[in-house]
């Protein structure tokens, strides 16, 4: 049930699947999407079809079966798709032929969690549980730089995880965020760390009842003017057997090192897996889930939740379409097209 | 390398554990145990050789909440149920385990796996109760748990240290399974070290000197001997034995002080609580404790199973492999059985929270040490891990196998009144092919 005030999100099309889709990239100006699967495969589909049937990208190069494909990014004028997976590989695909053209076999030492392209499409950033962010030339696939600043271990001496990253709209800044809630903002040109932000409220360490941890910052987004950085995750969890806490976002004026707001979506349980601003700054969309899924809209000015609603499934990634009142979401057992409407 | 006080190796020092304990306890904590670290001296080869001859012991690594067999001992990489982890080869040709366990993979030739547990009970409480007893309690009859049986069968009547110790520091699931000696009596109940490494109220009261403490004990013994003269009953004997055990415990206080272990040994086990308690377990086994349960809670990963296992399995891998090496280097692996399991495994299916739920139909246990065939892998599950396809093993068979490995006849019977109570249910047999 949604607590609609001015907005409504409705499902327009659904593609059911047996696998889990972790990543999504939409080719601008088309209805073609690429999605990364739990089976280690990248699929493409034309969502204009009445009953879209995702087709696997095939070739001599591929990800390891079972290596969750968690990152997809279109780059180099949309001629290339870069996929990153838990098998630590990055693979460059030709978006026309749908064939692999380049591979970096050990792009990272551990699971790749996210792959994003710079706004100009010339650079790829990947983050992984080796706690390194690597920058790659989108055209050649050559390693350009390594950004190291996240701790390898949590304060409790367990391996940490580097979940997400996001470029600022002008491409000059890159933010990376880890399991403990530590966020670093990098100057892309100099490769220097220029600011940090704290979202440790999204990391739960249970020292007594269960003695392990859960949570972390799962999504980042810069506002269209680049001044505000938003981190998405989950609040402190009482019973860490489950994702049993409300979705949570923290807004930062990262240049002034000020936390602007903390937002809890009280009807949405689980992780905020993906965030994206409306191009005009009208709203911020967040999607994610626990055993179910959710979509939330936040007013970027007031930081108020202006829409909360359940999604068909736990959403791991989404992409706004050319018309931002529609978005395509990928997640647990499916792919959906949703429409955001003002009512 | 000198890691502590050394015996010279002559036959004069080829003492038994009983002699050692009686001597060390007789002199109290001040002389031998206190300053020179006599508990640490238990690591000496001669003493361990003597200990090895005297009996077998068990360390249970209790994986409370249910660890995933797919992320440990029975991976299914590339299958829809397999999850994101790869499998790696082990020192046993053809046997692969999760990539999260590289250290145990190198030691697989010394490890015994059962991959075909079908125990049928996916409840935390009832599953734990069954796995700790090898069967379900009856409405009118509670069965003793594994630790109580081992303490009774392998513990020495004159031992001054507890026969059965249980660590369970996390609070979730602590009450599951309800450790109990049942009809065996309180003598075989566990000493529960839940809130710290040291039993509460163990130290002598500050107001009483060591000499005074021993004088009181001697006076009590004298009066007790006079009183019981001509009145020999079980009650009298039990009363006196209880006092002896209390005195034994008090004088073995250093046993619980991990600071007495050299720093390099503590470092070897790692900084985790689980590692430090595994080290404590080794100290206790050396000192004559028959059964130590080291619990590592809480594996109940309904949400984010893979991240939970990425955090916890490397710790398990490190602690198990370190314990194996340490026991081996001390000559104790031939007399100590280490078993690792919990109340159940986890579902092959991955839920929308990327979790795995309770699953008792096709899961795994791992063991190493005395009485077992190292490198043996028993049983098989289907390609997706949903069902057992070969050599199904129930809780009873696992229980019987553990007992047989440490030299206890699973067919032995206790009696409650006139009713014979076998250690395992009738018809249940150990897995002979796993026994050395």
């Amino acid at each position: 049930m949604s607590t609609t005030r001015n907005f409504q999100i409705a499902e327009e099309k659904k593609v059911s699947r047996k696998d889990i889709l972790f990543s999504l990239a939409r080719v601008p100006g088309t209805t073609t999407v690429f999605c990364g699967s739990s089976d280690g495969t990248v699929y493409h589909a034309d969502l204009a079809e009445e009953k879209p049937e995702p087709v696997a990208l095939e070739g001599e190069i591929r990800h390891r079966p079972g290596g969750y494909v968690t990152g997809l990014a279109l780059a180099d004028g949309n001629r290339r798709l870069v996929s990153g997976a838990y098998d630590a590989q990055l693979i460059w695909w030709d978006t026309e032929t749908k064939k692999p053209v380049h591979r970096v076999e050990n792009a990272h030492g551990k699971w790749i969690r996210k792959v994003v392209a710079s706004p100009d499409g010339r650079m790829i950033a990947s983050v992984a549980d080796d706690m390194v962010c690597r920058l790659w030339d989108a055209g050649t696939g050559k390693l350009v730089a390594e950004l190291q600043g996240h701790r390898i271990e949590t304060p409790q001496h367990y391996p940490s995880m580097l979940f997400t990253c996001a470029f600022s709209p002008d491409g000059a800044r890159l933010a990376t965020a880890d399991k403990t809630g530590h966020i670093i903002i990098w100057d892309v040109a100099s490769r220097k760390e220029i600011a940090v932000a704290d979202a440790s409220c999204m990391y739960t360490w249970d020292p007594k009842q269960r003695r392990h941890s859960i949570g972390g910052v799962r999504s980042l987004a810069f506002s269209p003017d680049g001044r505000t950085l938003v981190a998405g995750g989950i609040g402190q969890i009482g019973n860490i057997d489950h994702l049993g806490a409300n979705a949570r976002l923290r807004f930062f004026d990262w240049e002034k090192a000020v936390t602007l707001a903390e937002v809890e979506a009280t009807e949405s349980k689980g992780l905020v897996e993906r965030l994206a601003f409306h191009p005009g700054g009208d709203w911020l969309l967040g999607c994610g889930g626990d055993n179910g899924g959710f979509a939330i809209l936040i007013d970027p000015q007031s930081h108020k939740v202006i829409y909360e609603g359940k999604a068909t499934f736990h959403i791991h990634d989404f992409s706004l379409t050319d018309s931002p009142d529609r978005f395509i979401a990928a997640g647990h057992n499916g792919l959906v097209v949703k429409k955001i409407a003002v009512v | 390398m000198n890691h502590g006080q050394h015996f010279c190796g002559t036959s004069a020092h080829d003492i038994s554990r009983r002699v050692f304990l009686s001597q060390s306890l007789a002199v109290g904590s001040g002389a031998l145990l206190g300053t020179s670290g006599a508990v640490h001296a238990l690591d000496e080869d001669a003493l361990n050789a003597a200990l090895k001859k005297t009996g077998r012991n068990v360390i249970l690594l209790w994986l409370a909440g249910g660890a995933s067999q797919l992320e440990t001992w029975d991976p299914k990489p590339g299958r829809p149920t397999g999850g994101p982890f790869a499998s790696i080869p082990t020192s046993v040709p053809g046997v692969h385990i999760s990539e999260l366990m590289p250290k145990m993979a190198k030691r697989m030739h010394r490890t015994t796996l059962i991959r075909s547990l079908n125990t049928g009970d996916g409840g935390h409480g009832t599953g734990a109760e069954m796995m700790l007893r090898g069967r379900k309690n009856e409405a009118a009859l509670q069965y003793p748990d594994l630790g109580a049986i081992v303490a009774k069968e392998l513990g020495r009547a004159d031992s001054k240290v507890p026969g059965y110790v249980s660590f369970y520091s996390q609070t979730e699931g602590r009450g599951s399974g309800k450790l109990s000696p049942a009809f065996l009596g309180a003598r075989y109940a566990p000493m529960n070290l839940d809130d710290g490494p040291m039993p509460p109220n163990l130290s002598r009261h500050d107001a009483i000197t060591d000499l005074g403490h021993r004088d009181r004990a001697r006076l009590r013994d004298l009066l007790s001997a006079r009183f019981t003269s001509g009145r020999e009953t079980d009650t009298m004997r039990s009363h006196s034995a209880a006092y002896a055990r209390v005195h034994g415990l008090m004088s073995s206080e250093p046993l619980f002080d991990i600071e007495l272990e050299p720093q390099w040994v503590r470092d070897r086990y790692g900084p985790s609580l689980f590692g430090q308690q595994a080290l404590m377990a080794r100290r206790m086994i050396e000192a004559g404790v028959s059964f130590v349960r080291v619990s590592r809670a809480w594996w109940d990963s309904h949400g984010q199973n893979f991240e939970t296992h990425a955090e916890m399995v490397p710790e398990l891998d490190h602690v198990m492999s370190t314990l194996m090496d340490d026991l081996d280097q001390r000559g104790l692996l031939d007399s100590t059985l280490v078993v690792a399991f919990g109340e159940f495994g986890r579902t092959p299916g991955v839920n929308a929270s990327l979790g795995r739920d309770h699953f008792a139909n096709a899961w795994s246990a791992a063991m190493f040490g005395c009485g077992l065939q190292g490198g043996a892998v028993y049983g098989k599950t289907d390609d997706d891990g949903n069902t057992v396809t070969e050599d199904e093993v129930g809780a009873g068979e696992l229980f019987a196998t553990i007992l047989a490995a440490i030299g206890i006849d699973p067919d032995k019977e206790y009696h409650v009144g006139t009713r014979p109570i076998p250690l395992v249910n009738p018809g249940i047999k150990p897995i002979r092919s796993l026994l050395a």
Side-chain angles (χ1 to χ4, degrees):
Chain A
M1 190 182 75
S2 69
T3 54
T4 306
R5 239 174 42 180
N6 297 313
F7 293 87
Q8 193 168 43
I9 296 179
E11 188 174 299
E12 292 191 329
K13 185 174 284 188
K14 181 183 175 188
V15 180
S16 293
R17 296 184 55 84
K18 290 183 177 176
D19 56 356
I20 308 166
L21 300 178
F22 287 100
S23 51
L24 186 79
R26 187 188 63 86
V27 182
T30 75
T31 51
T32 297
V33 294
F34 294 91
C35 42
S37 166
S38 56
D39 66 12
T41 304
V42 179
Y43 293 87
H44 70 95
D46 184 354
L47 295 180
E49 293 173 359
E50 189 179 350
K51 290 187 177 178
E53 290 284 343
V55 177
L57 273 58
E58 291 178 344
E60 289 182 4
I61 300 171
R62 58 163 298 167
H63 290 289
R64 173 177 60 77
Y68 292 179
V69 181
T70 45
L72 285 177
L74 286 160
D76 198 20
N78 299 325
R79 289 187 294 276
R80 295 286 181 262
L81 174 76
V82 184
S83 61
Y86 280 6
D87 64 359
Q89 292 190 90
L90 288 174
I91 298 178
W92 270 251
W93 306 82
D94 185 311
T95 53
E96 282 298 316
T97 64
K98 312 288 193 295
K99 298 290 183 189
V101 293
H102 179 66
R103 165 168 66 177
V104 181
E105 204 163 350
N106 294 300
H108 284 274
K110 289 188 173 181
W111 289 352
I112 293 173
R113 295 288 191 159
K114 187 87 174 173
V115 178
V116 297
S118 59
D120 64 6
R122 296 168 65 179
M123 184 178 286
I124 293 291
S126 58
V127 290
D129 288 350
D130 58 5
M131 308 308 285
V132 180
C133 176
R134 292 198 166 90
L135 302 178
W136 310 84
D137 184 298
T140 65
K142 299 288 185 193
L143 180 64
V144 173
E146 288 188 347
L147 308 179
Q148 300 196 39
H150 291 272
R151 291 180 188 273
I152 298 288
E153 290 187 337
T154 64
Q156 294 78 32
H157 305 293
Y158 291 96
S160 190
M161 297 162 186
L162 188 55
F163 287 127
T164 192
C165 60
F167 278 102
S168 61
D170 63 2
R173 311 284 185 242
L174 177 71
T176 55
D178 69 24
K179 182 171 186 175
T180 65
H182 185 58
I183 302 168
I184 300 177
I185 298 95
W186 308 84
D187 178 71
V188 175
S190 67
R191 328 293 194 215
K192 300 288 186 192
E193 177 181 321
I194 55 171
V196 295
D198 175 56
S200 54
C201 58
M202 297 178 190
Y203 170 67
T204 301
W205 163 254
D206 178 346
K208 188 62 181 170
Q209 281 181 276
R210 294 169 173 84
R211 205 168 178 86
H212 66 91
S213 67
I214 199 165
V217 176
R218 305 298 178 127
S219 48
L220 289 167
F222 282 93
S223 59
D225 64 7
R227 291 181 181 165
T228 301
L229 176 66
V230 188
I234 189 169
Q236 291 291 297
I237 302 176
N239 175 359
I240 61 171
D241 294 350
H242 305 266
L243 292 170
N246 292 331
R248 182 176 293 226
L249 299 96
R250 191 172 265 199
F251 288 70
F252 303 95
D253 181 330
W254 63 271
E255 285 176 303
K256 295 179 180 170
V258 172
T259 298
L260 300 172
E262 186 149 334
V263 177
E264 195 169 328
T266 56
E267 294 183 20
S268 303
K269 295 276 189 218
L271 301 162
V272 180
E273 303 274 18
R274 176 83 163 97
L275 287 166
F277 277 90
H278 180 279
D282 293 356
W283 39 250
L284 170 69
L285 173 64
C287 291
D290 56 354
N291 263 324
F294 63 77
I296 55 178
L297 290 171
I298 294 107
D299 180 340
Q301 307 307 317
S302 68
H303 306 125
K304 301 288 186 192
V305 177
I306 52 178
Y307 171 86
E308 279 192 77
K310 293 195 183 305
T312 315
F313 47 69
H314 184 135
I315 294 172
H316 287 284
D317 199 1
F318 68 80
S319 174
L320 300 180
T321 64
D322 297 323
S323 164
D325 63 347
R326 279 189 175 78
F327 66 97
I328 302 156
H332 197 84
N333 302 143
L335 197 62
V336 289
V337 180
K338 287 178 172 281
K339 180 177 172 60
I340 301 170
V342 179
V343 293
Chain B
M1 200 179 335
N2 182 2
H3 297 313
Q5 183 188 15
H6 280 269
F7 290 87
C8 69
T10 64
S11 58
H13 285 150
D14 188 14
I15 57 174
S16 70
R17 178 180 60 177
R18 185 190 310 196
V19 172
F20 171 81
L21 285 170
S22 63
Q23 287 178 344
S24 61
L25 295 171
V27 298
S29 59
L32 185 57
L33 287 173
T35 56
S36 62
V39 171
H40 180 224
L42 286 168
D43 66 2
E44 302 307 323
D45 293 344
L47 185 63
N48 285 340
L51 176 60
K52 190 166 63 175
K53 290 175 190 167
T54 58
R56 292 181 166 185
N57 317 284
V58 177
I59 296 173
L60 167 61
L61 303 178
W62 178 245
L63 309 181
S68 169
Q69 68 283 0
L70 294 126
E71 276 69 60
T72 51
W73 309 113
D74 193 14
K76 305 288 182 185
R79 300 296 304 176
T81 56
F85 295 105
S87 67
I88 53 173
T90 69
S91 59
V92 177
V95 176
H96 288 62
I97 61 174
S98 169
E99 65 174 320
L100 294 172
M101 308 198 83
K103 295 173 182 174
M104 286 306 293
K106 290 178 183 167
R107 293 160 179 81
M108 195 49 54
H109 59 290
R110 311 192 75 165
T111 307
T112 305
L113 294 185
I114 297 175
R115 284 175 164 168
S116 53
L117 283 169
N118 182 0
T119 52
D121 190 330
H124 286 300
T126 51
E129 185 181 286
M130 180 173 63
M131 292 309 297
L132 291 165
R133 289 163 178 76
R135 55 190 159 185
K136 289 180 181 292
N137 281 329
E138 297 175 22
L141 180 65
Q142 309 289 300
Y143 292 108
D145 66 62
L146 180 63
I149 291 173
V150 172
K152 176 172 173 55
E153 296 299 321
L154 301 184
R156 305 182 69 91
D158 58 348
S159 175
K160 302 298 188 293
V161 295
Y164 179 7
V165 173
S166 171
F167 290 95
Y168 201 126
S169 296
Q170 295 79 58
T171 54
E172 191 64 23
R174 190 186 281 175
S176 292
K178 301 180 186 69
L179 299 182
S180 168
F183 53 77
L184 297 181
R187 170 76 177 84
Y188 304 107
M191 170 186 279
N192 291 304
L193 298 179
D194 294 339
D195 297 318
M198 191 75 76
N201 306 314
L202 184 68
S203 302
R204 171 171 46 77
H205 195 283
D206 290 344
I208 303 171
T209 65
D210 184 52
L211 179 62
H213 180 66
R214 278 183 276 136
D215 282 348
R216 285 174 180 218
R218 276 197 287 269
L219 177 60
R220 198 210 69 83
D221 288 346
L222 178 68
L223 295 174
S224 181
R226 281 187 187 168
F227 182 76
T228 56
S229 177
R231 296 187 179 99
E232 279 288 307
T233 66
D234 285 347
T235 306
M236 297 293 179
R237 278 190 292 273
S238 174
H239 186 75
S240 294
Y243 268 98
R245 282 197 299 279
V246 168
H247 281 278
L249 274 179
M250 291 178 71
S251 55
S252 61
E253 184 176 341
L255 176 65
F256 304 99
D257 187 358
I258 203 168
E259 300 287 324
L260 294 176
E261 283 288 334
Q263 187 63 46
W264 74 270
V265 176
R266 288 155 57 195
D267 291 345
R268 189 180 184 193
Y269 276 84
S272 71
L273 183 62
F274 186 41
Q276 297 298 297
Q277 290 179 340
L279 173 55
M280 292 282 288
R282 190 269 287 156
R283 285 171 65 80
M284 290 178 178
I285 290 296
E286 284 183 312
V289 179
S290 298
F291 189 98
V292 184
R293 179 176 81 151
V294 182
S295 306
R296 177 57 169 110
W298 180 248
W299 294 82
D300 199 18
S301 48
H302 294 285
Q304 303 295 294
N305 171 77
F306 306 114
E307 288 171 14
T308 298
H309 281 72
E311 192 168 74
M312 295 175 74
V313 178
E315 177 188 272
L316 174 66
D317 184 49
H318 179 76
V319 170
M320 279 188 82
S321 57
T322 303
L323 185 59
M324 181 190 286
D325 293 353
D326 197 14
L327 289 170
D328 185 33
Q329 287 156 13
R330 288 163 186 274
L332 294 169
L333 201 54
D334 292 337
S335 59
T336 305
L337 175 65
V338 179
V339 292
F341 58 85
E343 62 265 46
F344 43 62
R346 306 212 74 82
T347 49
V350 178
N351 67 32
S353 290
L354 298 184
R356 296 191 192 270
D357 302 311
H358 302 180
F359 189 63
N361 296 345
W363 59 292
S364 304
M367 305 180 274
F368 61 79
C370 71
L372 291 174
Q373 295 279 0
V377 178
Y378 190 82
K380 195 174 176 185
T381 53
D382 64 39
D383 289 346
D384 289 322
N386 287 311
T387 58
V388 172
T389 55
E390 284 179 20
D391 298 326
E392 185 171 290
V393 175
E397 283 83 10
L398 174 63
F399 201 81
T401 305
I402 292 169
L403 294 178
I406 53 176
I408 300 172
D409 179 3
D411 292 327
K412 179 176 179 173
E413 291 181 342
Y414 297 132
H415 284 82
V416 176
T418 57
R419 178 181 168 182
I421 310 291
L423 295 190
V424 297
N425 282 341
I428 297 295
K429 298 295 178 193
I431 306 166
R432 293 287 173 200
S433 63
L434 294 184
L435 299 174

